[in-house]
Amino acid sequence: MVTLICEIQITTSSGTLAFYSAAEIEIERTWNTLTNTAKITLPRKIGRLQGDITKLLKAGDRVVIKTGYDVKLTIEFVGYIREVTAAVPVVIHCEDAMWHLKQLPSIEKGKTNAWRNLTLGVLTSRLVGTKYQIQTQNTALGAYRLTEKTIAKELQKLKEQTGLMAYFRFDEAGNEILTVGERYPLAWANDPTKMVAYHFQKNIIENSLSFKRKDDIKIKAKGIIKIPNGKDKTIEIGDDFGETHTVHYNNMPEAAARQLLEKDLERMKYTGYHGSFTTFGEPFAEHGFVAHLSDIEYPERAGNYYIDKVVICWGNGGYRREITLGSQAGTIIPI
Protein backbone atom coordinates (compact mmCIF):
# COMPACT_ATOMS: atom_id res chain seq x y z
CA MET A 1 0.00 0.00 0.00
CA VAL A 2 1.38 3.39 -0.98
CA THR A 3 1.53 6.40 1.33
CA LEU A 4 0.59 9.90 0.20
CA ILE A 5 3.19 12.56 0.97
CA CYS A 6 3.44 16.30 0.34
CA GLU A 7 5.75 19.19 1.01
CA ILE A 8 4.57 22.80 0.97
CA GLN A 9 7.25 25.47 1.25
CA ILE A 10 6.19 29.08 1.79
CA THR A 11 8.84 31.80 1.76
CA THR A 12 7.78 34.70 3.99
CA SER A 13 9.48 37.95 4.94
CA SER A 14 10.75 36.29 8.13
CA GLY A 15 11.87 32.95 6.68
CA THR A 16 10.60 29.74 5.10
CA LEU A 17 7.74 27.69 6.51
CA ALA A 18 7.40 24.03 5.56
CA PHE A 19 4.26 21.91 5.88
CA TYR A 20 4.34 18.16 5.41
CA SER A 21 0.63 17.53 5.61
CA ALA A 22 -2.53 19.07 4.26
CA ALA A 23 -6.21 18.28 4.39
CA GLU A 24 -6.49 18.86 0.66
CA ILE A 25 -4.52 20.31 -2.24
CA GLU A 26 -6.11 21.25 -5.56
CA ILE A 27 -4.06 22.58 -8.47
CA GLU A 28 -5.28 23.65 -11.91
CA ARG A 29 -2.81 24.10 -14.76
CA THR A 30 -3.70 24.90 -18.37
CA TRP A 31 -2.62 27.05 -21.32
CA ASN A 32 -6.17 28.27 -21.80
CA THR A 33 -6.25 30.70 -18.89
CA LEU A 34 -3.75 33.41 -18.12
CA THR A 35 -3.32 32.29 -14.51
CA ASN A 36 -2.83 28.80 -13.07
CA THR A 37 -4.04 28.32 -9.52
CA ALA A 38 -3.66 26.24 -6.38
CA LYS A 39 -5.75 25.88 -3.25
CA ILE A 40 -4.26 24.47 -0.05
CA THR A 41 -6.58 23.47 2.79
CA LEU A 42 -4.53 23.04 5.97
CA PRO A 43 -5.42 20.55 8.71
CA ARG A 44 -7.63 21.91 11.47
CA LYS A 45 -4.79 21.37 13.92
CA ILE A 46 -1.47 22.79 12.73
CA GLY A 47 0.42 22.81 16.02
CA ARG A 48 1.97 26.03 17.30
CA LEU A 49 0.91 27.98 14.21
CA GLN A 50 -2.79 27.58 14.93
CA GLY A 51 -4.32 31.04 15.21
CA ASP A 52 -1.19 32.81 13.95
CA ILE A 53 -1.09 31.46 10.42
CA THR A 54 -2.98 34.36 8.85
CA LYS A 55 -0.54 36.78 10.45
CA LEU A 56 2.52 34.88 9.22
CA LEU A 57 1.37 34.43 5.62
CA LYS A 58 0.89 37.42 3.31
CA ALA A 59 -0.14 38.00 -0.29
CA GLY A 60 2.91 37.64 -2.51
CA ASP A 61 4.71 35.03 -0.38
CA ARG A 62 6.26 32.41 -2.69
CA VAL A 63 4.77 28.90 -2.61
CA VAL A 64 6.20 25.62 -3.88
CA ILE A 65 3.97 22.54 -3.70
CA LYS A 66 5.36 19.03 -4.03
CA THR A 67 3.22 15.88 -3.91
CA GLY A 68 3.84 12.19 -4.37
CA TYR A 69 3.69 8.64 -3.15
CA ASP A 70 5.94 7.07 -0.48
CA VAL A 71 9.33 8.85 -0.73
CA LYS A 72 9.09 10.36 -4.24
CA LEU A 73 8.05 14.03 -4.42
CA THR A 74 7.37 16.00 -7.61
CA ILE A 75 6.91 19.76 -7.97
CA GLU A 76 3.29 20.35 -9.00
CA PHE A 77 3.01 24.11 -8.49
CA VAL A 78 5.18 27.20 -8.14
CA GLY A 79 3.47 30.48 -7.39
CA TYR A 80 2.46 33.10 -4.84
CA ILE A 81 -0.18 33.57 -2.19
CA ARG A 82 -3.17 35.58 -3.38
CA GLU A 83 -5.30 35.26 -0.24
CA VAL A 84 -5.42 33.43 3.10
CA THR A 85 -8.83 32.83 4.67
CA ALA A 86 -9.22 33.53 8.37
CA ALA A 87 -11.74 30.73 8.89
CA VAL A 88 -10.93 27.25 10.18
CA PRO A 89 -9.71 25.24 8.40
CA VAL A 90 -7.32 27.76 6.89
CA VAL A 91 -7.39 27.86 3.09
CA ILE A 92 -4.49 29.36 1.12
CA HIS A 93 -5.36 30.53 -2.40
CA CYS A 94 -2.39 30.81 -4.74
CA GLU A 95 -1.68 31.99 -8.28
CA ASP A 96 1.36 31.38 -10.44
CA ALA A 97 3.82 34.13 -11.41
CA MET A 98 1.08 35.89 -13.37
CA TRP A 99 0.15 37.28 -9.93
CA HIS A 100 3.26 39.49 -10.17
CA LEU A 101 2.45 40.61 -13.71
CA LYS A 102 -0.98 41.70 -12.48
CA GLN A 103 0.77 44.21 -10.21
CA LEU A 104 3.23 45.63 -12.77
CA PRO A 105 2.39 48.43 -15.24
CA SER A 106 2.66 47.78 -18.97
CA ILE A 107 2.96 51.44 -20.01
CA GLU A 108 6.04 53.20 -18.67
CA LYS A 109 7.54 56.61 -19.27
CA GLY A 110 10.90 56.51 -21.00
CA LYS A 111 10.11 53.22 -22.75
CA THR A 112 8.62 52.44 -26.16
CA ASN A 113 4.86 51.93 -25.87
CA ALA A 114 3.84 51.88 -29.55
CA TRP A 115 5.34 50.39 -32.73
CA ARG A 116 4.65 50.59 -36.44
CA ASN A 117 5.88 47.04 -36.98
CA LEU A 118 6.37 44.73 -34.02
CA THR A 119 7.27 41.07 -33.42
CA LEU A 120 6.05 38.94 -30.53
CA GLY A 121 9.57 38.41 -29.20
CA VAL A 122 10.24 42.14 -28.95
CA LEU A 123 6.87 42.77 -27.28
CA THR A 124 7.41 40.03 -24.68
CA SER A 125 10.90 41.27 -23.85
CA ARG A 126 9.64 44.85 -23.55
CA LEU A 127 6.90 43.80 -21.13
CA VAL A 128 8.79 41.34 -18.95
CA GLY A 129 12.44 42.27 -19.36
CA THR A 130 14.69 39.88 -17.45
CA LYS A 131 12.25 39.15 -14.62
CA TYR A 132 11.54 35.63 -15.92
CA GLN A 133 12.81 33.17 -18.47
CA ILE A 134 10.90 33.64 -21.73
CA GLN A 135 9.92 31.13 -24.38
CA THR A 136 8.40 32.69 -27.48
CA GLN A 137 8.91 33.22 -31.21
CA ASN A 138 9.16 36.18 -33.58
CA THR A 139 5.62 36.14 -34.92
CA ALA A 140 4.87 39.40 -36.75
CA LEU A 141 2.21 41.52 -35.03
CA GLY A 142 2.25 44.57 -37.31
CA ALA A 143 1.33 47.92 -35.79
CA TYR A 144 0.83 47.62 -32.05
CA ARG A 145 0.18 49.93 -29.10
CA LEU A 146 0.19 49.16 -25.39
CA THR A 147 -3.17 50.18 -23.94
CA GLU A 148 -3.70 48.17 -20.75
CA LYS A 149 -2.68 49.21 -17.23
CA THR A 150 -0.86 45.99 -16.27
CA ILE A 151 1.35 43.49 -18.04
CA ALA A 152 -1.13 40.68 -17.35
CA LYS A 153 -4.00 42.63 -18.93
CA GLU A 154 -1.82 43.42 -21.94
CA LEU A 155 -1.09 39.71 -22.38
CA GLN A 156 -4.81 38.97 -22.09
CA LYS A 157 -5.52 41.59 -24.78
CA LEU A 158 -2.88 39.96 -26.98
CA LYS A 159 -4.64 36.61 -26.60
CA GLU A 160 -8.04 38.06 -27.44
CA GLN A 161 -6.79 39.96 -30.49
CA THR A 162 -4.39 37.42 -31.98
CA GLY A 163 -5.09 34.02 -30.42
CA LEU A 164 -1.52 33.93 -29.07
CA MET A 165 -1.46 32.37 -25.60
CA ALA A 166 0.47 33.48 -22.53
CA TYR A 167 1.02 31.25 -19.52
CA PHE A 168 3.65 30.27 -16.96
CA ARG A 169 5.16 26.85 -16.52
CA PHE A 170 8.25 25.76 -14.59
CA ASP A 171 11.13 23.35 -15.02
CA GLU A 172 12.16 20.48 -12.74
CA ALA A 173 14.11 22.89 -10.53
CA GLY A 174 11.09 25.17 -10.08
CA ASN A 175 12.36 27.96 -12.33
CA GLU A 176 9.43 29.90 -13.79
CA ILE A 177 9.15 30.25 -17.57
CA LEU A 178 6.76 32.63 -19.32
CA THR A 179 5.54 31.06 -22.56
CA VAL A 180 3.95 33.41 -25.11
CA GLY A 181 2.69 32.14 -28.45
CA GLU A 182 1.76 28.51 -29.06
CA ARG A 183 -0.66 26.49 -26.97
CA TYR A 184 1.85 23.67 -26.67
CA PRO A 185 5.65 23.53 -26.82
CA LEU A 186 5.72 21.94 -30.26
CA ALA A 187 9.04 20.19 -29.68
CA TRP A 188 7.40 18.08 -26.97
CA ALA A 189 5.33 16.20 -29.59
CA ASN A 190 8.42 14.17 -30.53
CA ASP A 191 9.99 14.02 -27.06
CA PRO A 192 9.43 10.59 -25.47
CA THR A 193 9.92 12.06 -21.97
CA LYS A 194 6.85 14.27 -22.57
CA MET A 195 4.56 11.38 -23.57
CA VAL A 196 2.46 9.48 -21.01
CA ALA A 197 0.65 6.19 -21.68
CA TYR A 198 -2.95 5.82 -20.50
CA HIS A 199 -4.87 2.57 -20.81
CA PHE A 200 -8.62 2.23 -20.35
CA GLN A 201 -8.23 -1.14 -18.59
CA LYS A 202 -5.19 -0.20 -16.47
CA ASN A 203 -4.79 3.38 -15.27
CA ILE A 204 -7.86 5.32 -16.38
CA ILE A 205 -10.08 5.35 -13.28
CA GLU A 206 -13.10 7.08 -14.81
CA ASN A 207 -13.77 9.15 -17.89
CA SER A 208 -16.17 11.38 -19.77
CA LEU A 209 -14.51 10.70 -23.11
CA SER A 210 -16.37 10.27 -26.37
CA PHE A 211 -14.99 9.02 -29.66
CA LYS A 212 -16.16 11.21 -32.52
CA ARG A 213 -15.76 11.06 -36.27
CA LYS A 214 -14.47 14.20 -37.96
CA ASP A 215 -17.45 14.37 -40.31
CA ASP A 216 -19.88 14.28 -37.37
CA ILE A 217 -18.39 17.36 -35.69
CA LYS A 218 -20.12 20.56 -36.74
CA ILE A 219 -18.16 23.73 -36.02
CA LYS A 220 -18.18 27.20 -37.50
CA ALA A 221 -14.98 29.20 -37.08
CA LYS A 222 -15.35 32.98 -37.13
CA GLY A 223 -12.40 35.31 -37.43
CA ILE A 224 -12.75 39.02 -36.68
CA ILE A 225 -9.92 41.22 -37.97
CA LYS A 226 -9.66 44.35 -35.82
CA ILE A 227 -8.57 47.31 -37.94
CA PRO A 228 -7.44 50.49 -36.12
CA ASN A 229 -9.67 53.46 -36.99
CA GLY A 230 -11.58 51.31 -39.47
CA LYS A 231 -14.37 48.77 -39.83
CA ASP A 232 -13.59 45.28 -38.60
CA LYS A 233 -13.61 42.44 -41.14
CA THR A 234 -15.29 39.10 -40.43
CA ILE A 235 -14.32 35.73 -41.94
CA GLU A 236 -16.42 32.59 -41.49
CA ILE A 237 -15.50 29.02 -42.45
CA GLY A 238 -16.79 25.58 -41.50
CA ASP A 239 -20.33 24.36 -40.92
CA ASP A 240 -23.18 26.86 -41.18
CA PHE A 241 -25.18 25.29 -38.34
CA GLY A 242 -22.29 24.23 -36.10
CA GLU A 243 -21.09 25.55 -32.76
CA THR A 244 -19.40 28.91 -33.34
CA HIS A 245 -15.84 29.56 -32.16
CA THR A 246 -14.65 33.15 -32.53
CA VAL A 247 -11.05 34.34 -32.80
CA HIS A 248 -9.84 37.95 -33.01
CA TYR A 249 -6.91 39.11 -35.13
CA ASN A 250 -5.17 42.44 -34.79
CA ASN A 251 -4.76 44.44 -38.01
CA MET A 252 -3.85 41.34 -40.05
CA PRO A 253 -4.15 40.76 -43.83
CA GLU A 254 -7.28 38.80 -44.63
CA ALA A 255 -5.36 35.95 -46.33
CA ALA A 256 -3.12 35.45 -43.27
CA ALA A 257 -6.11 35.54 -40.90
CA ARG A 258 -7.96 32.99 -43.02
CA GLN A 259 -4.95 30.67 -42.94
CA LEU A 260 -4.82 30.84 -39.14
CA LEU A 261 -8.56 30.28 -38.92
CA GLU A 262 -8.27 27.15 -41.06
CA LYS A 263 -5.59 25.81 -38.71
CA ASP A 264 -7.89 26.45 -35.75
CA LEU A 265 -10.71 24.57 -37.45
CA GLU A 266 -8.37 21.69 -38.19
CA ARG A 267 -7.40 21.60 -34.51
CA MET A 268 -11.03 21.32 -33.39
CA LYS A 269 -12.29 18.86 -36.02
CA TYR A 270 -10.62 15.46 -35.85
CA THR A 271 -11.53 11.79 -35.58
CA GLY A 272 -10.65 10.64 -32.08
CA TYR A 273 -11.30 11.06 -28.38
CA HIS A 274 -12.74 14.26 -26.95
CA GLY A 275 -13.25 15.09 -23.29
CA SER A 276 -11.44 14.25 -20.05
CA PHE A 277 -10.53 11.35 -17.78
CA THR A 278 -9.21 10.76 -14.27
CA THR A 279 -6.05 8.82 -13.56
CA PHE A 280 -3.65 8.34 -10.65
CA GLY A 281 -1.20 10.99 -9.45
CA GLU A 282 1.60 9.17 -11.19
CA PRO A 283 2.87 9.13 -13.84
CA PHE A 284 3.43 12.90 -13.87
CA ALA A 285 1.83 14.89 -16.70
CA GLU A 286 1.20 18.57 -17.35
CA HIS A 287 -0.53 20.56 -20.06
CA GLY A 288 1.49 20.39 -23.25
CA PHE A 289 2.46 16.75 -22.68
CA VAL A 290 1.19 14.14 -25.13
CA ALA A 291 -1.23 11.49 -23.85
CA HIS A 292 -1.20 8.13 -25.63
CA LEU A 293 -4.58 6.43 -25.21
CA SER A 294 -5.15 2.72 -25.84
CA ASP A 295 -8.00 0.30 -25.25
CA ILE A 296 -8.04 -3.51 -25.48
CA GLU A 297 -11.64 -3.47 -26.67
CA TYR A 298 -11.01 -0.86 -29.41
CA PRO A 299 -7.33 -1.17 -30.40
CA GLU A 300 -7.98 0.72 -33.66
CA ARG A 301 -8.80 3.85 -31.64
CA ALA A 302 -5.33 4.19 -30.11
CA GLY A 303 -3.90 7.66 -30.62
CA ASN A 304 -1.86 10.59 -29.31
CA TYR A 305 -3.40 13.80 -27.97
CA TYR A 306 -2.03 17.01 -26.55
CA ILE A 307 -3.05 17.62 -22.94
CA ASP A 308 -4.93 20.92 -22.60
CA LYS A 309 -5.54 20.96 -18.87
CA VAL A 310 -4.56 19.10 -15.71
CA VAL A 311 -6.32 19.30 -12.36
CA ILE A 312 -4.39 17.69 -9.50
CA CYS A 313 -6.26 16.65 -6.36
CA TRP A 314 -4.32 15.39 -3.34
CA GLY A 315 -5.83 14.56 0.04
CA ASN A 316 -8.35 12.32 1.76
CA GLY A 317 -9.71 11.16 -1.59
CA GLY A 318 -6.25 10.05 -2.72
CA TYR A 319 -3.92 11.50 -5.34
CA ARG A 320 -5.64 12.01 -8.67
CA ARG A 321 -4.94 13.78 -11.95
CA GLU A 322 -7.83 14.85 -14.20
CA ILE A 323 -6.65 15.14 -17.79
CA THR A 324 -8.52 17.21 -20.42
CA LEU A 325 -7.55 16.35 -23.97
CA GLY A 326 -6.79 18.82 -26.70
CA SER A 327 -6.16 18.19 -30.38
CA GLN A 328 -4.41 15.17 -31.78
CA ALA A 329 -0.65 15.46 -31.47
CA GLY A 330 0.97 16.24 -34.77
CA THR A 331 -1.97 18.25 -36.15
CA ILE A 332 -0.76 21.58 -34.73
CA ILE A 333 1.05 23.78 -37.22
CA PRO A 334 3.24 26.63 -35.87
CA ILE A 335 1.73 30.09 -36.19
Side-chain angles (χ1 to χ4, degrees), residues 119-136:
T119 63
L120 183 60
V122 172
L123 174 63
T124 306
S125 295
R126 159 62 182 81
L127 289 173
V128 181
T130 58
K131 295 180 180 69
Y132 299 99
Q133 294 184 43
I134 296 173
Q135 185 176 66
T136 186

Side-chain angles (χ1 to χ4, degrees), residues 74 82 103 149 158 205 288 296:
T74 302
R82 174 175 59 83
Q103 324 299 319
K149 290 184 178 181
L158 180 72
I205 301 171
I296 292 175

Side-chain angles (χ1 to χ4, degrees), residues 36-40 63 77 80-82 92-96:
N36 293 322
T37 61
K39 183 175 74 171
I40 306 164
V63 179
F77 182 83
Y80 303 85
I81 292 177
R82 174 175 59 83
I92 305 170
H93 297 274
C94 308
E95 295 184 350
D96 65 11

